[in-house]
Structure formats: C-alpha cells, structure tokens
Amino acid sequence: MRELDAVRRQYREFADTECRGYSDLYYRLARGAAEDETIMRFIADRPVRQPNLFLAAIHSVTGTAGMPSTVAALKALLEQRGADVAALMATRRT
C-alpha cells in the first residue's frame, strides 16, 4: 500500500507543479489517475512510473483525436489497450 501512496503523491505533484495552468487535460488525467485504485495499480506495476511517460504512452497509443479526456475514459482505454501502453512505458523514455 505504501508503494501506491508514493505513486499517488508523484502523480498529484506532477499535476500540481507541471500541468496546472499549462495542460488542463494532463492535469485532470494525472489528478484523476492518482485517485483511481485500478489506474494506480497499473502504473505501480511498471518499471518506470513517470507521469509524463505514462501520459505520453497513452497519447502515442490513441493519437491526439483519441486521447481520453476523463478518468473513466482513461480507465476504459487501459482495459482495452493496457498491454500497448505498458509496452511503450517499458521501452521508451521522455
């Protein structure tokens, strides 16, 4: 559980310091991901958990037009294409 708490803090901090006032979409997704147990477990299972890597992998998988705009849509995407997102997170860096 402590591991998930650390990931939650990382995503909240990223949203508040890197995204607020710059990217409303990334802010909403990072803050929302931090509050969702399923998404946090998905991220915690990755060797690299950087928020910008996670969101960039999502963007790469979906393209701009398909980028989820809500946490519910993000969660649905991970259910459908989580393996693709995980593969990108394992092989790419920001």
Side-chain angles (χ1 to χ4, degrees):
M1 189 58 98
R2 283 188 207 147
E3 191 171 355
L4 287 182
D5 289 340
V7 177
R8 274 190 187 87
R9 276 191 304 277
Q10 181 182 16
Y11 275 67
R12 287 176 184 142
E13 197 172 295
F14 173 77
D16 293 341
T17 61
E18 301 291 328
C19 301
R20 187 184 304 229
Y22 179 72
S23 173
D24 185 53
L25 175 61
Y26 275 27
Y27 175 81
R28 277 194 326 272
L29 293 177
R31 287 294 296 193
E35 305 308 320
D36 186 277
E37 190 77 14
T38 302
I39 296 172
M40 283 292 96
R41 287 188 188 283
F42 175 86
I43 293 167
D45 286 343
R46 309 284 70 84
V48 178
R49 301 169 182 161
Q50 290 176 297
N52 54 342
L53 177 62
F54 173 67
L55 294 169
I58 297 288
H59 191 218
S60 181
V61 166
T62 64
T64 301
M67 188 72 178
S69 61
T70 65
V71 174
L74 176 59
K75 199 170 178 175
L77 173 74
L78 291 175
E79 289 174 9
Q80 296 170 0
R81 309 239 3 235
D84 297 329
V85 173
L88 285 172
M89 290 180 75
T91 59
R92 303 281 176 94
R93 298 293 174 261
T94 59

Coordinates of all heavy atoms in Angstrom, one line a residue:
M1 N 0.8 -1.2 0.0 CA 0.0 0.0 0.0 C 0.9 1.3 0.0 O 0.5 2.2 -0.6 CB -0.9 0.0 1.2 CG -2.0 1.1 1.2 SD -3.0 1.1 -0.3 CE -4.4 0.2 0.4
R2 N 2.0 1.2 0.7 CA 2.9 2.4 0.7 C 3.4 2.7 -0.7 O 3.6 3.9 -1.0 CB 4.1 2.1 1.6 CG 3.7 2.3 3.1 CD 5.0 2.2 3.9 NE 4.6 1.7 5.2 CZ 5.3 1.0 6.0 NH1 6.5 0.6 5.6 NH2 4.9 0.6 7.1
E3 N 3.6 1.7 -1.5 CA 4.1 1.9 -2.9 C 3.0 2.7 -3.7 O 3.4 3.6 -4.4 CB 4.3 0.5 -3.5 CG 5.1 0.7 -4.8 CD 5.5 -0.7 -5.3 OE1 5.4 -1.7 -4.6 OE2 6.0 -0.7 -6.5
L4 N 1.8 2.3 -3.5 CA 0.7 3.0 -4.2 C 0.6 4.5 -3.7 O 0.3 5.4 -4.5 CB -0.7 2.3 -4.1 CG -0.9 1.0 -4.8 CD1 -2.2 0.5 -4.6 CD2 -0.6 1.2 -6.3
D5 N 0.8 4.7 -2.4 CA 0.8 6.0 -1.9 C 1.9 6.9 -2.5 O 1.6 8.0 -2.8 CB 0.9 6.0 -0.3 CG -0.3 5.4 0.3 OD1 -1.4 5.4 -0.3 OD2 -0.2 5.0 1.5
A6 N 3.0 6.3 -2.7 CA 4.1 7.0 -3.3 C 3.8 7.4 -4.7 O 4.1 8.5 -5.2 CB 5.4 6.2 -3.2
V7 N 3.2 6.5 -5.5 CA 2.8 6.8 -6.8 C 1.7 7.8 -6.9 O 1.8 8.8 -7.7 CB 2.4 5.5 -7.6 CG1 1.9 5.8 -9.0 CG2 3.5 4.5 -7.6
R8 N 0.8 7.7 -6.0 CA -0.3 8.8 -5.9 C 0.3 10.2 -5.7 O -0.1 11.1 -6.3 CB -1.2 8.5 -4.7 CG -2.3 7.5 -5.1 CD -3.4 7.5 -3.9 NE -4.3 6.5 -4.2 CZ -4.2 5.2 -3.9 NH1 -3.1 4.8 -3.3 NH2 -5.1 4.3 -4.3
R9 N 1.2 10.2 -4.7 CA 1.9 11.5 -4.4 C 2.6 12.0 -5.7 O 2.6 13.2 -6.0 CB 2.9 11.4 -3.3 CG 2.2 11.5 -1.9 CD 3.2 11.7 -0.8 NE 4.2 10.6 -0.8 CZ 4.0 9.4 -0.2 NH1 2.9 9.1 0.4 NH2 5.0 8.5 -0.2
Q10 N 3.3 11.1 -6.4 CA 4.1 11.5 -7.6 C 3.1 12.1 -8.6 O 3.4 13.1 -9.2 CB 4.8 10.3 -8.1 CG 5.6 10.6 -9.3 CD 6.3 9.3 -9.9 OE1 5.9 8.2 -9.5 NE2 7.3 9.5 -10.7
Y11 N 2.0 11.5 -8.8 CA 1.0 11.9 -9.8 C 0.3 13.2 -9.4 O 0.1 14.1 -10.3 CB 0.0 10.8 -10.2 CG 0.6 9.9 -11.3 CD1 1.7 9.1 -11.0 CD2 0.1 9.9 -12.6 CE1 2.3 8.3 -12.0 CE2 0.7 9.1 -13.6 CZ 1.8 8.3 -13.2 OH 2.4 7.6 -14.2
R12 N 0.0 13.4 -8.2 CA -0.6 14.6 -7.7 C 0.4 15.8 -7.8 O 0.0 16.9 -8.3 CB -1.0 14.5 -6.2 CG -2.2 13.6 -6.0 CD -2.5 13.5 -4.5 NE -3.6 12.6 -4.3 CZ -3.7 11.7 -3.4 NH1 -2.7 11.6 -2.5 NH2 -4.8 10.9 -3.2
E13 N 1.6 15.5 -7.4 CA 2.7 16.6 -7.5 C 2.9 16.9 -9.0 O 3.1 18.1 -9.3 CB 4.0 16.0 -6.9 CG 5.0 17.1 -6.6 CD 6.1 16.5 -5.8 OE1 5.9 16.0 -4.6 OE2 7.2 16.5 -6.3
F14 N 3.0 16.0 -9.9 CA 3.1 16.2 -11.3 C 2.0 17.1 -11.8 O 2.2 18.1 -12.5 CB 3.2 14.9 -12.1 CG 3.2 15.1 -13.6 CD1 4.3 15.5 -14.3 CD2 2.0 14.9 -14.3 CE1 4.3 15.6 -15.6 CE2 2.0 15.0 -15.7 CZ 3.2 15.4 -16.4
A15 N 0.8 16.8 -11.4 CA -0.4 17.5 -11.9 C -0.3 19.0 -11.4 O -0.5 19.9 -12.1 CB -1.7 16.9 -11.4
D16 N 0.0 19.1 -10.1 CA 0.0 20.5 -9.5 C 1.2 21.3 -9.9 O 1.1 22.5 -10.1 CB 0.0 20.3 -8.0 CG -1.3 19.7 -7.4 OD1 -2.3 19.8 -8.2 OD2 -1.3 19.3 -6.3
T17 N 2.4 20.7 -10.1 CA 3.6 21.5 -10.4 C 3.9 21.6 -11.9 O 4.4 22.6 -12.4 CB 4.8 21.0 -9.7 OG1 5.1 19.7 -10.1 CG2 4.6 21.1 -8.2
E18 N 3.6 20.6 -12.7 CA 3.9 20.6 -14.1 C 2.7 20.9 -15.0 O 3.0 21.4 -16.1 CB 4.5 19.2 -14.5 CG 5.7 18.8 -13.7 CD 6.9 19.6 -14.0 OE1 7.1 20.1 -15.2 OE2 7.7 19.9 -13.1
C19 N 1.5 20.5 -14.6 CA 0.4 20.6 -15.6 C -0.5 21.8 -15.3 O -1.1 22.3 -16.2 CB -0.4 19.3 -15.5 SG 0.6 17.9 -16.0
R20 N -0.7 22.2 -14.0 CA -1.6 23.2 -13.7 C -1.3 24.5 -14.4 O -0.1 25.0 -14.4 CB -1.7 23.5 -12.2 CG -2.7 24.5 -11.8 CD -2.7 24.8 -10.3 NE -2.7 23.5 -9.6 CZ -3.5 23.4 -8.5 NH1 -4.3 24.3 -8.1 NH2 -3.5 22.2 -7.9
G21 N -2.2 25.0 -15.1 CA -2.0 26.2 -15.9 C -1.3 26.0 -17.2 O -1.2 27.0 -18.0
Y22 N -0.9 24.8 -17.5 CA -0.2 24.5 -18.8 C -1.0 23.6 -19.6 O -1.2 23.8 -20.8 CB 1.2 23.9 -18.5 CG 1.9 23.6 -19.7 CD1 2.5 24.6 -20.5 CD2 2.1 22.2 -20.1 CE1 3.2 24.3 -21.7 CE2 2.8 21.9 -21.2 CZ 3.4 22.9 -22.0 OH 4.0 22.6 -23.2
S23 N -1.5 22.5 -19.0 CA -2.3 21.5 -19.8 C -3.4 21.0 -18.9 O -3.2 20.2 -18.0 CB -1.5 20.3 -20.2 OG -2.3 19.3 -20.7
D24 N -4.6 21.5 -19.1 CA -5.8 21.1 -18.3 C -6.1 19.6 -18.5 O -6.4 19.0 -17.5 CB -7.0 22.0 -18.8 CG -8.2 21.7 -17.9 OD1 -8.1 21.8 -16.7 OD2 -9.3 21.3 -18.4
L25 N -5.9 19.1 -19.7 CA -6.1 17.7 -19.9 C -5.2 16.8 -19.0 O -5.6 15.9 -18.3 CB -6.0 17.3 -21.4 CG -6.1 15.8 -21.7 CD1 -7.5 15.3 -21.3 CD2 -5.8 15.6 -23.2
Y26 N -3.9 17.1 -19.1 CA -2.9 16.3 -18.4 C -3.1 16.5 -16.9 O -3.0 15.6 -16.1 CB -1.5 16.6 -18.8 CG -1.0 15.9 -20.0 CD1 -1.9 15.4 -21.0 CD2 0.3 15.6 -20.1 CE1 -1.4 14.7 -22.1 CE2 0.8 14.9 -21.2 CZ -0.1 14.5 -22.2 OH 0.4 13.7 -23.3
Y27 N -3.5 17.7 -16.5 CA -3.8 18.0 -15.1 C -5.0 17.1 -14.6 O -4.8 16.4 -13.6 CB -4.2 19.4 -14.8 CG -4.6 19.7 -13.4 CD1 -3.6 19.9 -12.4 CD2 -5.9 19.8 -13.1 CE1 -4.0 20.1 -11.1 CE2 -6.3 20.0 -11.7 CZ -5.3 20.2 -10.8 OH -5.7 20.4 -9.5
R28 N -6.0 17.1 -15.3 CA -7.2 16.3 -15.0 C -6.9 14.8 -14.9 O -7.3 14.0 -14.0 CB -8.4 16.5 -15.9 CG -9.2 17.7 -15.7 CD -10.5 17.7 -16.5 NE -10.5 17.1 -17.8 CZ -10.2 17.8 -18.9 NH1 -9.8 19.0 -18.9 NH2 -10.2 17.1 -20.1
L29 N -6.2 14.3 -16.0 CA -5.8 12.9 -16.0 C -4.9 12.5 -14.9 O -5.1 11.4 -14.3 CB -5.3 12.5 -17.4 CG -6.3 12.6 -18.6 CD1 -5.6 12.3 -19.9 CD2 -7.5 11.7 -18.4
A30 N -3.9 13.3 -14.7 CA -2.9 12.9 -13.6 C -3.5 12.9 -12.2 O -3.4 12.0 -11.4 CB -1.7 13.8 -13.7
R31 N -4.3 14.0 -12.0 CA -5.0 14.0 -10.7 C -6.1 12.9 -10.6 O -6.2 12.3 -9.5 CB -5.7 15.4 -10.5 CG -4.8 16.5 -10.2 CD -4.1 16.5 -8.9 NE -5.0 16.5 -7.8 CZ -4.6 16.7 -6.5 NH1 -3.3 16.9 -6.3 NH2 -5.5 16.7 -5.5
G32 N -6.8 12.7 -11.6 CA -7.8 11.6 -11.6 C -7.2 10.2 -11.5 O -7.7 9.4 -10.7
A33 N -6.1 10.0 -12.2 CA -5.4 8.7 -12.0 C -4.9 8.5 -10.6 O -5.0 7.4 -10.1 CB -4.2 8.7 -13.0
A34 N -4.4 9.5 -9.9 CA -4.0 9.4 -8.6 C -5.1 9.0 -7.6 O -4.8 8.4 -6.6 CB -3.4 10.8 -8.1
E35 N -6.3 9.3 -8.0 CA -7.5 8.9 -7.1 C -8.1 7.6 -7.5 O -9.0 7.1 -6.8 CB -8.5 10.0 -7.2 CG -8.0 11.4 -6.9 CD -7.2 11.5 -5.5 OE1 -7.7 10.8 -4.6 OE2 -6.2 12.2 -5.5
D36 N -7.6 6.9 -8.6 CA -8.3 5.7 -9.0 C -7.4 4.5 -8.7 O -6.2 4.4 -9.2 CB -8.5 5.8 -10.5 CG -9.3 4.6 -11.0 OD1 -8.7 3.5 -11.3 OD2 -10.5 4.7 -11.1
E37 N -7.9 3.6 -7.9 CA -7.1 2.4 -7.5 C -6.6 1.6 -8.6 O -5.5 1.1 -8.7 CB -7.9 1.6 -6.5 CG -7.2 0.5 -5.8 CD -6.3 1.1 -4.6 OE1 -6.5 2.2 -4.2 OE2 -5.5 0.3 -4.2
T38 N -7.5 1.3 -9.6 CA -7.1 0.5 -10.7 C -6.0 1.1 -11.6 O -5.0 0.4 -11.9 CB -8.4 0.2 -11.6 OG1 -9.4 -0.4 -10.8 CG2 -8.0 -0.7 -12.8
I39 N -6.1 2.4 -11.8 CA -5.1 3.0 -12.6 C -3.7 3.1 -11.8 O -2.7 2.8 -12.4 CB -5.5 4.4 -13.0 CG1 -6.7 4.4 -14.0 CG2 -4.4 5.2 -13.7 CD1 -7.4 5.7 -14.3
M40 N -3.8 3.3 -10.5 CA -2.6 3.3 -9.7 C -1.9 2.0 -9.7 O -0.7 1.9 -9.8 CB -2.9 3.8 -8.3 CG -3.1 5.3 -8.1 SD -1.6 6.3 -8.4 CE -1.8 6.7 -10.1
R41 N -2.7 0.9 -9.6 CA -2.1 -0.4 -9.7 C -1.4 -0.7 -11.0 O -0.4 -1.3 -11.1 CB -3.1 -1.5 -9.3 CG -3.5 -1.5 -7.9 CD -4.4 -2.7 -7.5 NE -4.9 -2.5 -6.2 CZ -4.2 -2.8 -5.1 NH1 -3.0 -3.2 -5.2 NH2 -4.8 -2.6 -3.9
F42 N -2.1 -0.3 -12.1 CA -1.5 -0.4 -13.4 C -0.1 0.3 -13.5 O 0.9 -0.3 -13.9 CB -2.4 0.1 -14.5 CG -1.8 0.1 -15.9 CD1 -1.9 -1.0 -16.7 CD2 -1.1 1.2 -16.4 CE1 -1.4 -1.0 -17.9 CE2 -0.5 1.2 -17.6 CZ -0.7 0.1 -18.4
I43 N -0.1 1.5 -13.0 CA 1.2 2.3 -13.0 C 2.2 1.7 -12.1 O 3.4 1.6 -12.5 CB 0.9 3.8 -12.7 CG1 0.0 4.4 -13.8 CG2 2.1 4.6 -12.5 CD1 -0.6 5.7 -13.4
A44 N 1.8 1.3 -10.9 CA 2.7 0.8 -9.9 C 3.4 -0.5 -10.5 O 4.5 -0.8 -10.0 CB 2.0 0.5 -8.6
D45 N 2.8 -1.2 -11.4 CA 3.4 -2.4 -11.9 C 4.4 -2.2 -13.0 O 5.0 -3.1 -13.5 CB 2.3 -3.3 -12.5 CG 1.4 -4.0 -11.5 OD1 1.9 -4.1 -10.3 OD2 0.3 -4.5 -11.8
R46 N 4.6 -0.9 -13.4 CA 5.5 -0.6 -14.5 C 6.9 -0.3 -13.8 O 7.0 0.2 -12.7 CB 5.1 0.7 -15.2 CG 3.7 0.7 -15.7 CD 3.4 -0.1 -17.0 NE 3.4 -1.5 -16.9 CZ 2.4 -2.3 -16.5 NH1 1.3 -1.8 -16.1 NH2 2.6 -3.6 -16.4
P47 N 8.0 -0.6 -14.6 CA 9.3 -0.4 -14.0 C 9.6 1.1 -13.9 O 10.4 1.5 -13.1 CB 10.2 -1.1 -15.0 CG 9.4 -1.3 -16.3 CD 8.0 -1.3 -15.9
V48 N 9.1 1.9 -14.8 CA 9.2 3.4 -14.8 C 7.8 3.9 -14.7 O 7.0 3.7 -15.5 CB 9.9 3.9 -16.1 CG1 10.0 5.4 -16.0 CG2 11.3 3.3 -16.2
R49 N 7.6 4.8 -13.7 CA 6.3 5.2 -13.3 C 6.0 6.7 -13.6 O 5.1 7.3 -13.1 CB 6.0 4.9 -11.9 CG 6.1 3.5 -11.6 CD 6.1 3.3 -10.1 NE 6.3 1.9 -9.8 CZ 6.7 1.4 -8.6 NH1 6.9 2.2 -7.7 NH2 6.8 0.1 -8.5
Q50 N 6.9 7.3 -14.3 CA 6.8 8.8 -14.5 C 5.5 9.2 -15.2 O 5.1 8.6 -16.1 CB 7.9 9.2 -15.5 CG 9.3 9.2 -15.0 CD 10.3 9.5 -16.1 OE1 10.4 8.8 -17.1 NE2 11.0 10.6 -15.9
P51 N 4.9 10.2 -14.6 CA 3.6 10.6 -15.1 C 3.7 11.0 -16.6 O 2.8 10.7 -17.4 CB 3.2 11.8 -14.2 CG 3.9 11.5 -13.0 CD 5.2 10.9 -13.4
N52 N 4.7 11.8 -16.9 CA 4.8 12.2 -18.3 C 5.0 11.1 -19.3 O 4.6 11.1 -20.4 CB 5.9 13.3 -18.5 CG 7.2 12.9 -18.0 OD1 7.4 12.0 -17.2 ND2 8.2 13.7 -18.4
L53 N 5.7 10.0 -18.9 CA 5.9 8.8 -19.7 C 4.6 8.1 -19.9 O 4.2 7.7 -21.0 CB 6.9 7.9 -19.1 CG 7.1 6.6 -19.8 CD1 7.7 6.8 -21.2 CD2 8.1 5.7 -19.0
F54 N 3.8 8.0 -18.8 CA 2.5 7.3 -18.8 C 1.6 8.1 -19.8 O 1.0 7.5 -20.7 CB 1.9 7.3 -17.4 CG 0.5 6.8 -17.4 CD1 0.2 5.5 -17.7 CD2 -0.5 7.7 -16.9 CE1 -1.2 5.0 -17.6 CE2 -1.8 7.2 -16.9 CZ -2.2 5.9 -17.2
L55 N 1.5 9.4 -19.6 CA 0.6 10.2 -20.5 C 1.1 10.2 -21.9 O 0.2 10.2 -22.8 CB 0.4 11.6 -19.9 CG -0.3 11.6 -18.5 CD1 -0.2 12.9 -17.9 CD2 -1.8 11.1 -18.7
A56 N 2.4 10.2 -22.1 CA 2.9 10.2 -23.5 C 2.6 8.9 -24.2 O 2.3 8.8 -25.3 CB 4.4 10.5 -23.5
A57 N 2.7 7.8 -23.4 CA 2.4 6.4 -23.9 C 0.9 6.4 -24.3 O 0.5 5.8 -25.3 CB 2.7 5.4 -22.9
I58 N 0.0 6.9 -23.4 CA -1.4 7.0 -23.8 C -1.6 7.7 -25.1 O -2.3 7.3 -26.0 CB -2.2 7.6 -22.6 CG1 -2.1 6.9 -21.3 CG2 -3.7 7.9 -23.0 CD1 -2.9 5.6 -21.2
H59 N -1.0 8.9 -25.2 CA -1.1 9.7 -26.4 C -0.6 9.0 -27.6 O -1.2 9.0 -28.7 CB -0.4 11.0 -26.2 CG -0.7 12.0 -27.2 ND1 0.3 12.9 -27.7 CD2 -1.8 12.4 -27.9 CE1 -0.2 13.7 -28.6 NE2 -1.5 13.4 -28.7
S60 N 0.5 8.3 -27.5 CA 1.0 7.5 -28.6 C 0.1 6.4 -29.1 O -0.1 6.2 -30.3 CB 2.4 6.9 -28.2 OG 3.0 6.2 -29.3
V61 N -0.5 5.8 -28.1 CA -1.4 4.7 -28.4 C -2.7 5.2 -29.1 O -3.2 4.6 -30.0 CB -1.8 3.8 -27.2 CG1 -3.0 2.9 -27.4 CG2 -0.5 3.0 -26.8
T62 N -3.2 6.3 -28.6 CA -4.5 6.8 -29.0 C -4.5 7.8 -30.2 O -5.4 8.0 -30.9 CB -5.3 7.5 -27.9 OG1 -4.6 8.6 -27.5 CG2 -5.5 6.5 -26.7
G63 N -3.4 8.6 -30.2 CA -3.3 9.7 -31.1 C -4.0 10.9 -30.5 O -4.8 10.7 -29.5
T64 N -3.9 12.0 -31.0 CA -4.5 13.2 -30.4 C -6.0 13.1 -30.4 O -6.6 13.4 -29.3 CB -4.1 14.5 -31.2 OG1 -2.6 14.6 -31.1 CG2 -4.7 15.7 -30.6
A65 N -6.6 12.7 -31.4 CA -8.1 12.6 -31.5 C -8.7 11.6 -30.5 O -9.8 11.8 -30.1 CB -8.5 12.3 -32.9
G66 N -7.9 10.6 -30.2 CA -8.5 9.5 -29.3 C -8.1 9.7 -27.9 O -8.4 8.8 -27.1
M67 N -7.3 10.7 -27.6 CA -6.8 10.9 -26.2 C -8.0 11.0 -25.2 O -8.9 11.8 -25.4 CB -6.0 12.1 -26.1 CG -5.3 12.3 -24.8 SD -3.9 11.2 -24.6 CE -3.3 11.7 -23.1
P68 N -8.0 10.1 -24.2 CA -9.1 10.2 -23.2 C -9.2 11.5 -22.5 O -8.1 12.1 -22.2 CB -8.8 9.1 -22.3 CG -7.4 8.7 -22.4 CD -7.0 9.1 -23.8
S69 N -10.4 12.0 -22.3 CA -10.5 13.3 -21.6 C -11.0 13.2 -20.2 O -11.1 14.2 -19.5 CB -11.4 14.3 -22.4 OG -12.7 13.7 -22.6
T70 N -11.4 12.0 -19.8 CA -11.9 11.8 -18.4 C -11.2 10.6 -17.9 O -10.6 9.7 -18.6 CB -13.4 11.5 -18.4 OG1 -13.6 10.2 -19.1 CG2 -14.2 12.6 -19.1
V71 N -11.2 10.4 -16.6 CA -10.6 9.3 -15.9 C -11.4 8.0 -16.3 O -10.7 7.0 -16.5 CB -10.6 9.5 -14.4 CG1 -10.2 8.2 -13.6 CG2 -9.7 10.7 -14.0
A72 N -12.7 8.1 -16.5 CA -13.4 6.9 -16.9 C -13.0 6.4 -18.3 O -12.8 5.2 -18.5 CB -14.9 7.2 -16.9
A73 N -12.7 7.4 -19.2 CA -12.3 7.0 -20.5 C -10.8 6.5 -20.4 O -10.5 5.5 -21.1 CB -12.3 8.2 -21.4
L74 N -10.0 7.0 -19.5 CA -8.7 6.5 -19.4 C -8.7 5.1 -18.8 O -7.9 4.2 -19.3 CB -7.9 7.5 -18.4 CG -6.5 7.1 -18.0 CD1 -5.6 7.0 -19.2 CD2 -5.9 8.1 -17.0
K75 N -9.5 4.9 -17.9 CA -9.6 3.5 -17.3 C -10.1 2.5 -18.4 O -9.6 1.4 -18.5 CB -10.6 3.6 -16.1 CG -10.5 2.4 -15.2 CD -11.4 2.8 -14.0 CE -11.4 1.7 -13.0 NZ -12.2 2.0 -11.8
A76 N -11.1 2.9 -19.2 CA -11.6 2.0 -20.3 C -10.5 1.8 -21.3 O -10.3 0.6 -21.7 CB -12.8 2.7 -20.9
L77 N -9.7 2.8 -21.6 CA -8.6 2.6 -22.5 C -7.6 1.6 -22.0 O -7.1 0.7 -22.7 CB -7.9 3.9 -22.8 CG -6.6 3.8 -23.6 CD1 -6.9 3.5 -25.1 CD2 -5.7 5.0 -23.5
L78 N -7.2 1.7 -20.7 CA -6.3 0.8 -20.1 C -6.8 -0.7 -20.1 O -6.1 -1.6 -20.2 CB -5.9 1.2 -18.7 CG -5.1 2.5 -18.6 CD1 -4.8 2.9 -17.2 CD2 -3.7 2.3 -19.4
E79 N -8.1 -0.8 -19.9 CA -8.7 -2.1 -20.0 C -8.6 -2.7 -21.4 O -8.3 -3.9 -21.6 CB -10.2 -2.1 -19.6 CG -10.4 -1.8 -18.1 CD -11.9 -1.6 -17.8 OE1 -12.8 -1.8 -18.6 OE2 -12.1 -1.3 -16.6
Q80 N -8.7 -1.9 -22.4 CA -8.6 -2.4 -23.8 C -7.2 -2.4 -24.4 O -6.9 -3.4 -25.1 CB -9.5 -1.5 -24.7 CG -10.9 -1.5 -24.4 CD -11.7 -0.4 -25.1 OE1 -11.1 0.4 -25.9 NE2 -13.0 -0.3 -24.9
R81 N -6.4 -1.4 -24.0 CA -5.1 -1.3 -24.6 C -3.9 -1.2 -23.6 O -2.9 -0.7 -24.0 CB -5.1 -0.1 -25.6 CG -6.2 -0.1 -26.5 CD -6.0 -0.1 -28.0 NE -4.7 -0.2 -28.6 CZ -4.2 0.7 -29.5 NH1 -5.0 1.8 -29.8 NH2 -3.1 0.6 -30.0
G82 N -4.2 -1.7 -22.4 CA -3.2 -1.6 -21.4 C -1.8 -2.2 -21.8 O -0.8 -1.7 -21.4
A83 N -1.9 -3.3 -22.5 CA -0.7 -4.0 -22.9 C 0.2 -3.1 -23.8 O 1.4 -3.1 -23.7 CB -1.0 -5.3 -23.6
D84 N -0.5 -2.4 -24.7 CA 0.2 -1.5 -25.6 C 0.8 -0.3 -24.8 O 2.0 0.1 -25.1 CB -0.8 -0.9 -26.6 CG -1.4 -2.0 -27.6 OD1 -0.7 -3.0 -27.8 OD2 -2.5 -1.8 -28.0
V85 N 0.1 0.2 -23.9 CA 0.6 1.3 -23.0 C 1.8 0.8 -22.2 O 2.9 1.4 -22.2 CB -0.5 1.9 -22.1 CG1 0.1 2.9 -21.1 CG2 -1.6 2.5 -23.0
A86 N 1.7 -0.4 -21.6 CA 2.8 -1.0 -20.8 C 4.0 -1.2 -21.7 O 5.1 -0.9 -21.2 CB 2.3 -2.3 -20.2
A87 N 3.8 -1.7 -22.9 CA 5.0 -1.9 -23.7 C 5.7 -0.7 -24.1 O 7.0 -0.6 -24.0 CB 4.5 -2.6 -25.0
L88 N 5.0 0.4 -24.3 CA 5.7 1.7 -24.6 C 6.4 2.2 -23.4 O 7.5 2.7 -23.5 CB 4.6 2.7 -25.1 CG 4.2 2.6 -26.5 CD1 3.1 3.5 -26.8 CD2 5.3 2.8 -27.5
M89 N 5.8 2.1 -22.2 CA 6.4 2.5 -21.0 C 7.6 1.7 -20.7 O 8.6 2.3 -20.0 CB 5.4 2.5 -19.8 CG 4.3 3.5 -19.9 SD 3.1 3.4 -18.5 CE 4.1 4.2 -17.2
A90 N 7.7 0.5 -21.1 CA 8.9 -0.3 -20.8 C 10.0 -0.1 -21.8 O 11.2 -0.4 -21.5 CB 8.5 -1.8 -20.9
T91 N 9.7 0.5 -22.9 CA 10.8 0.7 -24.0 C 11.1 2.1 -24.3 O 12.1 2.4 -25.0 CB 10.4 0.0 -25.2 OG1 9.1 0.5 -25.7 CG2 10.2 -1.5 -25.0
R92 N 10.3 3.1 -23.8 CA 10.6 4.5 -24.2 C 10.9 5.3 -22.9 O 10.7 4.9 -21.8 CB 9.3 5.1 -24.8 CG 8.8 4.4 -26.0 CD 9.6 4.8 -27.2 NE 9.2 4.1 -28.4 CZ 8.3 4.5 -29.3 NH1 7.7 5.7 -29.1 NH2 8.0 3.8 -30.3
R93 N 11.5 6.4 -23.2 CA 11.8 7.4 -22.1 C 11.5 8.8 -22.6 O 11.4 9.0 -23.8 CB 13.3 7.3 -21.7 CG 13.7 6.0 -21.2 CD 13.1 5.7 -19.8 NE 13.4 4.4 -19.3 CZ 12.6 3.3 -19.5 NH1 11.4 3.4 -20.1 NH2 12.9 2.2 -19.0
T94 N 11.2 9.7 -21.6 CA 10.9 11.0 -22.0 C 12.2 11.9 -21.8 O 13.1 11.5 -21.2 CB 9.8 11.6 -21.1 OG1 10.2 11.6 -19.8 CG2 8.5 10.9 -21.3

